[in-house]
Amino acid sequence: MSNILIIKLGSLGDVVQISGALRDIREHHQNDKITILTTSKYLNLFQNCPYVDDCIEDKRLPRYNFFYLFNLRKKINDVNFEKVYDLQNSNRTNFYKNFLFNIKNWSTSKDAPENQYNNSVLQRFDDQLRKSNIKTKYTLAPDFNWATERSNNYNLDSNKKYILFFPFCSKDLIHKRWPYFTELINLIKENHTDYELVIAPGPDEIKEAKEFNIKIALDNERSLNFFQLASLIKKSHFVIANDTGPAHMAAHLGIKGIVIFGPHTTPKKVSIEREKFLALQTDDLKSLMADKVYALIKSSIIS
């Protein structure tokens, strides 16, 4: 048995995206022990992932924290990993490769030209694994349903089908936020009274979520954990979101919905569009009015 290391530090959308790659790596290394290096936020998630055997936390402290880097280096090198699959492909993990970890067999796409894969992150992963002689059956089609199977059976207290909204985004990514969710919610309220409208806020979004005047999905006044959130999304009728982690969850849970993109990136680059989950992109989020979005999604809500 060999020891295999996977590196994935975040963010949530990126973590969801590698579900297919993890499964392909697992099937290729069926008799090996697979460990993932990740941050504290995703430790519990990966500890319950069927494709991973163990987790190591990376606190991602600054590089000038030599004491921390020395301990991380010792922790990794003491395991004698035979192979690394770097699915973060960042400057930090490139630093690990070149200066910190003593692992020669290292799979990365960090040095590949971005346009080589038609700007698709999943295509980059697929090519990266193929270069390591892995048959990629699942990388291009991530399936996040393993997270719902490990939920605590969270159920929304509603007898109706529900439409789920994710109108928020990270504070440092405010440019991703479409400003007309309130207006869209009002349009759907007026025209689709047979649906419950639900919002699922993160820990810092609960107060603001109350301003939308729709049902808030919480667990004892706390935001849902990743497994509860996946379960909530899986049971929804339709999802409407900004470009956030929950949008990627919906896409790779096979849920019907739409994600709204500004000019910050493209849906193709982040590989978010699926058969049922579509993307609407505009060069100016402020000019994309609620009535236009509603007209585009009305038939999908009804069906």
Side-chain angles (χ1 to χ4, degrees), residues 51-274:
Y51 314 125
V52 173
D53 300 307
D54 199 6
C55 299
I56 296 176
E57 180 183 0
D58 183 357
K59 296 180 180 179
R60 297 183 76 176
L61 297 183
R63 295 185 194 178
Y64 56 75
N65 192 321
F66 299 114
F67 179 75
Y68 170 72
L69 290 179
F70 174 81
N71 283 316
L72 179 62
R73 181 180 186 274
K74 186 176 186 306
K75 184 182 294 185
I76 295 296
N77 291 339
D78 282 352
V79 178
N80 293 316
F81 287 107
E82 180 179 295
K83 173 96 175 183
V84 174
Y85 295 96
D86 180 5
L87 301 184
Q88 189 68 26
N89 293 309
S90 65
N91 290 334
R92 185 180 185 92
T93 56
N94 196 48
F95 167 75
Y96 290 171
K97 173 180 180 287
N98 292 322
F99 302 105
L100 204 65
F101 299 164
N102 185 26
I103 308 171
K104 295 181 179 180
N105 197 351
W106 192 290
S107 167
T108 181
S109 67
K110 174 64 179 172
D111 300 324
E114 188 168 325
N115 61 5
Q116 181 176 337
Y117 309 111
N118 298 317
N119 292 325
S120 166
V121 64
L122 292 184
Q123 190 62 57
R124 290 174 68 89
F125 288 145
D126 188 75
D127 189 74
Q128 178 182 344
L129 296 188
R130 284 177 181 272
K131 287 180 178 178
S132 292
N133 297 316
I134 291 181
K135 294 180 179 179
T136 54
K137 294 171 58 179
Y138 305 105
T139 299
L140 294 177
D143 185 345
F144 196 59
N145 278 285
W146 61 265
T148 66
E149 295 168 358
R150 283 154 179 78
S151 73
N152 63 355
N153 295 318
Y154 171 80
N155 290 297
L156 184 68
D157 182 21
S158 174
N159 293 322
K160 296 181 178 180
K161 291 182 179 181
Y162 56 92
I163 298 170
L164 189 55
F165 295 86
F166 294 101
F168 305 114
C169 60
S170 301
K171 291 180 180 179
D172 56 341
L173 299 173
I174 196 69
H175 58 280
K176 292 185 176 184
R177 188 165 178 172
W178 183 57
Y180 303 117
F181 270 94
T182 298
E183 291 79 1
L184 180 60
I185 286 170
N186 289 336
L187 282 170
I188 296 174
K189 271 186 178 181
E190 293 171 6
N191 294 285
H192 304 278
T193 57
D194 49 335
Y195 292 106
E196 185 85 78
L197 306 190
V198 180
I199 190 170
D204 300 323
E205 301 162 350
I206 296 174
K207 183 178 180 181
E208 189 177 356
K210 296 177 180 178
E211 299 175 5
F212 287 92
N213 196 29
I214 58 177
K215 196 172 200 62
I216 304 176
L218 296 172
D219 179 18
N220 293 322
E221 302 305 315
R222 299 188 302 268
S223 61
L224 306 184
N225 62 41
F226 293 136
F227 305 106
Q228 292 171 320
L229 185 59
S231 179
L232 180 74
I233 293 171
K234 182 66 178 179
K235 297 171 185 175
S236 65
H237 174 72
F238 197 84
V239 171
I240 305 171
N242 288 317
D243 175 23
T244 62
H248 287 269
M249 291 173 72
H252 300 306
L253 284 167
I255 300 306
K256 186 168 59 172
I258 189 169
V259 56
I260 301 173
F261 273 75
H264 61 280
T265 188
T266 66
K268 185 176 183 180
K269 182 176 180 179
V270 299
S271 305
I272 197 170
E273 285 196 285
R274 305 283 100 181

